[in-house]
Amino acid sequence: MKQTKHPKLFNSLSGGFRLTVCLVVILIALAAAPHVSATVIANGSLQLESLTITASSGVVNTFGYSALATAAGANSLNEVFNKSENTDNPTAFGAITWVEAGVSVQTRPLPATAAAVIGMGIPGTLDAEVHGIAEGDFYFSLDITGATGPVSVTLDAVLPYMLSVSTDKFGRGTGVLGFSVFIAPPVDIYALYWSPNLTVGRNSSSFISGTHSMERQVTLMAGQTYDLAVDVTAWVPGAVNTSTTPEPATLILFLGGLLPPMVIRRWRSSRS
């Protein structure tokens, strides 16, 4: 167990060479997608640039790191991909017609970082539907020494992001980004949670980008070991392109199990 007298800092993506290379590959692949004259276009990216954990007294110790990267997608052509990797520095990338997803997580060498990127485009006036998700998770434990009783702990996160959805008169689409830090036990809580989303109807467009900073204080007990799960997700839960009456969305059932609650179940089973 490594101890430090300073706040534990998970610094910027610029310090992680491997993560940067993975992101460049992912973005090049997405840029190469044939989005010209597409009826529905959705692109999203979310990066965990930094996560700082500071105790008001005592020393914060972190240990036991692991990570998981998952990229999955499905379309109305009955094409499916589901790629995952569970290593210290996992990456996952998958592509089928109309959708590509990539994710990279780095825990070795510390500090840990994560990024998820997704791109989707349905061309022409095809009757089509598509869903995709890119999800990066890492897990670790912490305790506080050098103090007694309840201790106030501050969590700070910095998250560069981009999300866009556009359609013509035949399309409808949704894009979602998600970030969470989950702490357990004794009471399971989301210490941090943020999930911007865009939904546009026919012949419309919407775009958001920037750097989101968030902070929250929680009370933890000195001497108690806590398990944390960090999730970074870019998700296209529905993109429909139809020149007639659209069919009900059904592919969402495939990806439903990959939402953040599934992250918690994977995390718990991996630690049992």
Side-chain angles (χ1 to χ4, degrees):
M1 185 187 344
K2 182 180 180 180
Q3 297 191 357
T4 177
K5 295 183 179 180
H6 301 286
K8 208 65 184 176
L9 174 64
F10 305 99
N11 67 0
S12 67
L13 287 171
S14 62
F17 176 75
R18 173 176 172 157
L19 181 63
T20 301
V21 172
C22 292
L23 284 176
V24 169
V25 172
I26 290 169
L27 291 171
I28 290 174
L30 295 180
H35 294 326
V36 179
S37 73
T39 297
V40 183
I41 301 174
N43 292 283
S45 66
L46 180 63
Q47 302 172 5
L48 174 59
E49 183 176 278
S50 67
L51 175 64
T52 307
I53 304 175
T54 308
S56 60
S57 61
V59 178
V60 176
N61 312 291
T62 62
F63 48 94
Y65 284 81
S66 62
L68 175 67
T70 302
N75 62 28
S76 53
L77 299 176
N78 295 319
E79 297 175 340
V80 173
F81 69 89
N82 189 354
K83 308 290 186 180
S84 64
E85 184 174 290
N86 187 359
T87 64
D88 282 347
N89 300 307
T91 62
F93 177 81
I96 52 176
T97 305
W98 308 320
V99 63
E100 297 176 331
V103 61
S104 181
V105 183
Q106 179 174 303
T107 64
R108 294 291 185 274
L110 294 177
T113 52
V117 181
I118 192 163
M120 183 279 304
I122 305 177
T125 56
L126 298 171
D127 291 337
E129 185 176 353
V130 64
H131 304 273
I133 188 169
E135 186 172 15
D137 311 296
F138 64 89
Y139 319 102
F140 62 98
S141 299
L142 71 77
D143 63 13
I144 300 170
T145 56
T148 59
V151 177
S152 177
V153 175
T154 302
L155 294 92
D156 294 278
V158 178
L159 303 157
Y161 69 95
M162 183 280 293
L163 185 62
S164 67
V165 182
S166 62
T167 68
D168 70 3
K169 63 182 179 180
F170 297 115
R172 295 172 300 164
T174 298
V176 180
L177 304 177
F179 168 74
S180 65
V181 178
F182 184 85
I183 302 179
V187 179
D188 295 349
I189 60 172
Y190 278 108
L192 294 174
Y193 180 81
W194 182 62
S195 184
N197 65 87
L198 296 176
T199 297
V200 303
R202 297 169 185 253
N203 200 29
S204 184
S205 65
S206 188
F207 172 84
I208 57 173
S209 68
T211 299
H212 180 71
S213 299
M214 56 195 311
E215 174 184 309
R216 183 180 175 185
Q217 290 185 338
V218 298
T219 299
L220 304 179
M221 295 297 296
Q224 167 77 49
T225 297
Y226 295 90
D227 296 325
L228 284 77
V230 180
D231 176 77
V232 176
T233 299
W235 185 38
V236 179
V240 178
N241 166 23
T242 178
S243 57
T244 59
T245 303
E247 294 295 325
T250 56
L251 296 177
I252 194 69
L253 297 176
F254 167 74
L255 294 174
L258 295 175
L259 288 173
M262 183 58 184
V263 175
I264 304 304
R265 290 194 291 271
R266 288 197 303 257
W267 168 52
R268 285 174 172 163
S269 63
S270 69
R271 304 185 78 89
S272 61

